[in-house]
Amino acid sequence: MSKQNKNNKEKLVIFDTTLRDGEQSPGASMTKEEKVRIAKQLEKLQVDVLEAGFPAASEGDFEAVKAVASAVEDVTVCGLARALENDIVKAGEAINPANSGRIHTFIATSPIHMEMKLRMTPDQVVERAVWAVKRARDFTDNVEFSPEDAGRSDIDFLCRVIEAVIDAGATTINIPDTVGYNIPEQFGELFHQLLTRIPNSDKAIFSAHCHNDLGLATANSLAAVKAGARQVECTINGLGERAGNTALEEVVMAVRTRQDYFDVDTRINTREILATSRLVSNITGFMVQPNKAIVGANAFAHESGIHQDGVLKHRETYEIMRAQDVGWHDNKMVLGKHSGRSAFKARLKELGIELETEEALNDAFRRFKELADRKHEIYDEDLQALITDANNQRVENDYYRLVALEVGTGTGERPHAKVTLWINGQEQTAEAEGGGVVDATFKTIEKIVDSGASLELYSVSNVTNGTDSIGETTVRLEKGGRIVNGQGSDTDIVLASAKAYINALNKLVDEDEKAHPQAHL
Ligand code: KIV
Ligand code: ZN
């Protein structure tokens, strides 16, 4: 089933599930618009398949998958479905607008899941799996089947189910280590056994889907690839519930860097990795740790004198990858106060940022000029943050808008804030004190709106070095089981924080936004 790449390597299909398994991470829920933005970036990154959600989970998830399916062209859009009629129909309808669509259906095969969760016998599970694949084929020829908790399933039973679903028309067989229990050698051996023992295994692509509970998700996925897997399911930054999923950037760069070892390659445009990582972390509020492989702030920083000396003499003494190849660039000044509209537009183009309308370009340029008044040197990272903020703060339909913010603090003085909000057509002002100016700002906003939400997370990160850097802030609010993330950025982090808080409040009042889909799985 596998194809040859132009460099004579077999193709490794990259299946990104940031928008589905990644979103199941508590607190990482995304709006439809946010999913579309990430999906477009994943298309630029050139993933082969993107799993956009679980359409039967909620109306919001259904609409989000449909919107993603309509928004991208050069990537297969996948919808997840349990082996149930309604799930499969919803997934089929949601992926319908896609140029290329896939249904991913699953049922558990481990003794503990079959007995305790499904309360089904192994025979019933085989029968349901076969039915589900056939039903999914009514909507698309591209059907993936997963025996959930395969990592703890009996191998003879796995062989039986998989042979049956391939006969029923499954074109991809995904092997999930659902609870992150496997060890690389063992997981590789599982693939070897499945590929050699199942008589029709050559009729499907085998895929690895690993969770990171023991910190082994990438190692397990690579062991599977070495044993013959030709698809890896992964997420940006390893996002996912509990300890997360396999990190896309790690698998892709391991395979790319060790072409001497792997017989496969991907079509990923690695230069888009960092921008994708930043977008996902900004939208979800899940920060990347500084020492995270590939995308962490220190991933390419050489602190020790010995290393610096070596790298200066010959880069490869201590570097196995080039930082530029994954999207890092020197913090060079690209634009300044006097740069004109065409220079601005040209730089955005070089960064692969396309603004859809003239109005959006004008708005972005106005923001750029404002920023240039406050910040002497504007870097690529600033431009990316500025566009992200413009996307986050599309105010036309917002219920709450920030009109004015004033804060005060000093030695021996209680930090305080004064905020004016525009609420559905009327202005309201309040003042409050707090532990610090950010705390005072949030308390003042709450004094006005009285949302009843609880603050679950507040984080700030700087996009470049220096105290004049743009700070990107995330505010996570929870109310009645609904979790939303708000974002804001500015060189003034108090203002950025206020924007993020108000952005989160607007998402809470948006009745159309879905509840977190995790509850339905
Ligand atoms: O981890 C898992 O088992 C899953 C399945 C739905 C494939 O995410
Ligand atoms: Zn999973």
Side-chain angles (χ1 to χ4, degrees):
M1 282 293 283
S2 55
K3 292 190 198 115
Q4 216 81 21
N5 265 339
K6 56 176 181 293
N7 56 1
N8 271 344
K9 297 273 183 176
E10 276 187 47
K11 176 167 182 167
L12 179 64
V13 175
I14 296 297
F15 176 115
D16 180 276
T17 183
T18 306
L19 302 181
R20 198 279 297 171
D21 220 348
E23 198 200 22
Q24 277 174 235
S25 186
S29 60
M30 302 163 213
T31 65
K32 182 169 77 183
E33 286 71 29
E34 288 167 343
K35 280 197 169 190
V36 168
R37 273 164 61 201
I38 292 179
K40 286 186 173 165
Q41 180 58 35
L42 289 170
E43 186 178 31
K44 259 195 214 166
L45 182 65
Q46 288 180 14
V47 303
D48 299 285
V49 187
L50 72 82
E51 190 164 50
F54 177 23
S58 69
E59 197 49 32
D61 230 27
F62 175 81
E63 290 300 334
V65 176
K66 218 169 140 187
V68 167
S70 314
V72 294
E73 285 173 8
D74 184 28
V75 53
T76 297
V77 178
C78 180
L80 183 71
R82 288 168 299 187
L84 299 172
E85 170 72 11
N86 182 52
D87 279 36
I88 295 170
V89 172
K90 286 270 180 212
E93 285 171 4
I95 60 158
N96 190 40
N99 277 351
S100 161
R102 175 183 292 188
I103 295 178
H104 175 192
T105 185
F106 72 99
I107 190 164
T109 50
S110 63
I112 185 167
H113 276 229
M114 289 191 290
E115 213 179 302
M116 311 305 288
K117 184 180 85 170
L118 298 175
R119 302 198 188 281
M120 286 169 80
T121 64
D123 285 349
Q124 286 170 326
V125 166
V126 178
E127 198 183 319
R128 180 74 73 79
V130 167
W131 170 86
V133 168
K134 287 189 175 154
R135 186 71 181 106
R137 288 286 305 230
D138 292 339
F139 295 90
T140 171
D141 292 346
N142 192 341
V143 174
E144 171 169 327
F145 173 78
S146 289
E148 191 193 7
D149 204 15
R152 292 189 301 170
S153 299
D154 173 70
I155 178 116
D156 293 334
F157 184 57
L158 273 183
C159 288
R160 185 179 155 207
V161 180
I162 294 169
E163 184 181 348
V165 294
I166 295 175
D167 272 344
T171 46
T172 299
I173 298 298
N174 180 46
I175 305 299
D177 181 18
T178 305
V179 290
Y181 179 71
N182 278 237
I183 303 295
E185 204 179 1
Q186 183 190 22
F187 201 57
E189 182 57 22
L190 174 62
F191 274 77
H192 175 69
Q193 290 290 328
L194 295 174
L195 286 162
T196 48
R197 284 177 53 182
I198 297 172
N200 53 3
S201 65
D202 61 325
K203 305 274 183 315
I205 288 180
F206 277 62
S207 163
H209 175 114
C210 299
H211 283 266
N212 204 28
D213 298 68
L214 294 172
L216 293 171
T218 298
N220 283 340
S221 303
L222 292 174
V225 171
K226 199 63 187 164
R230 289 298 175 261
Q231 173 178 287
V232 169
E233 301 202 350
C234 41
T235 59
I236 301 297
N237 302 335
L239 187 70
E241 65 184 297
R242 307 188 310 277
N245 288 57
T246 303
L248 178 147
E249 62 277 7
E250 293 175 7
V251 167
V252 167
M253 289 315 290
V255 164
R256 189 65 56 87
T257 306
R258 294 302 308 272
Q259 283 287 287
D260 60 319
Y261 183 76
F262 290 104
D263 303 325
V264 295
D265 201 1
T266 72
R267 69 162 191 162
I268 293 292
N269 175 4
T270 60
R271 285 176 174 262
E272 291 293 335
I273 285 178
L274 189 64
T276 317
S277 160
R278 285 192 165 150
L279 182 65
V280 169
S281 115
N282 178 269
I283 284 178
T284 59
F286 278 68
M287 292 296 150
V288 172
Q289 79 205 47
N291 58 331
K292 165 81 181 63
I294 321 291
V295 291
N298 291 352
F300 292 89
H302 294 270
E303 197 63 46
S304 97
I306 298 172
H307 287 198
Q308 281 178 353
D309 181 54
V311 171
L312 286 174
K313 285 183 176 138
H314 188 77
R315 190 184 59 81
E316 284 166 15
T317 48
Y318 286 101
E319 271 187 14
I320 58 164
M321 296 168 272
R322 293 189 329 154
Q324 303 94 292
D325 290 346
V326 296
W328 292 96
H329 19 80
D330 298 337
N331 263 358
K332 60 179 185 324
M333 188 185 86
V334 289
L335 294 172
K337 198 179 162 96
H338 301 295
S339 305
R341 198 169 177 281
S342 48
F344 174 72
K345 194 175 167 185
R347 190 62 204 153
L348 288 187
K349 195 158 178 239
E350 277 164 29
L351 288 172
I353 299 170
E354 280 156 36
L355 294 171
E356 275 157 24
T357 60
E358 201 56 19
E359 194 191 341
L361 179 65
N362 291 341
D363 178 57
F365 186 61
R366 183 186 52 74
R367 287 167 183 267
F368 160 71
K369 282 289 181 187
E370 274 170 23
L371 179 65
D373 273 342
R374 283 179 284 151
K375 190 170 189 292
H376 188 52
E377 298 168 321
I378 310 278
Y379 303 115
D380 287 338
E381 288 82 355
D382 294 310
L383 292 181
Q384 272 151 344
L386 187 131
I387 299 300
T388 303
D389 194 47
N391 284 328
N392 287 334
Q393 314 291 330
R394 287 261 153 84
V395 292
E396 310 87 60
N397 302 318
D398 280 356
Y399 191 80
Y400 302 112
R401 294 183 205 172
L402 180 66
V403 177
L405 168 67
E406 259 176 65
V407 290
T409 188
T411 319
E413 202 183 320
R414 190 95 167 109
H416 55 275
K418 181 176 175 187
V419 176
T420 303
L421 293 185
W422 181 97
I423 306 179
N424 204 19
Q426 285 195 341
E427 282 192 8
Q428 288 187 44
T429 302
E431 291 182 59
E433 294 182 339
V437 282
V438 172
D439 186 46
T441 302
F442 290 180
K443 286 196 167 114
T444 315
I445 295 172
E446 273 305 326
K447 206 169 172 182
I448 301 173
V449 305
D450 192 20
S451 72
S454 64
L455 180 68
E456 299 286 302
L457 172 130
Y458 167 64
S459 70
V460 187
S461 65
N462 49 327
V463 302
T464 54
N465 298 326
T467 48
D468 66 348
S469 167
I470 289 184
E472 287 187 323
T473 57
T474 301
V475 164
R476 183 173 300 151
L477 297 179
E478 191 272 340
K479 188 181 174 187
R482 283 185 64 209
I483 298 175
V484 292
N485 289 302
Q487 297 85 22
S489 43
D490 203 279
T491 48
D492 177 343
I493 59 159
V494 187
L495 192 52
S497 307
K499 283 188 195 177
Y501 200 98
I502 293 164
N503 186 230
L505 286 174
N506 278 316
K507 286 179 182 169
L508 267 187
V509 293
D510 188 345
E511 291 296 322
D512 294 340
E513 290 306 342
K514 63 190 151 61
H516 198 279
Q518 187 179 22
H520 305 265
L521 254 185

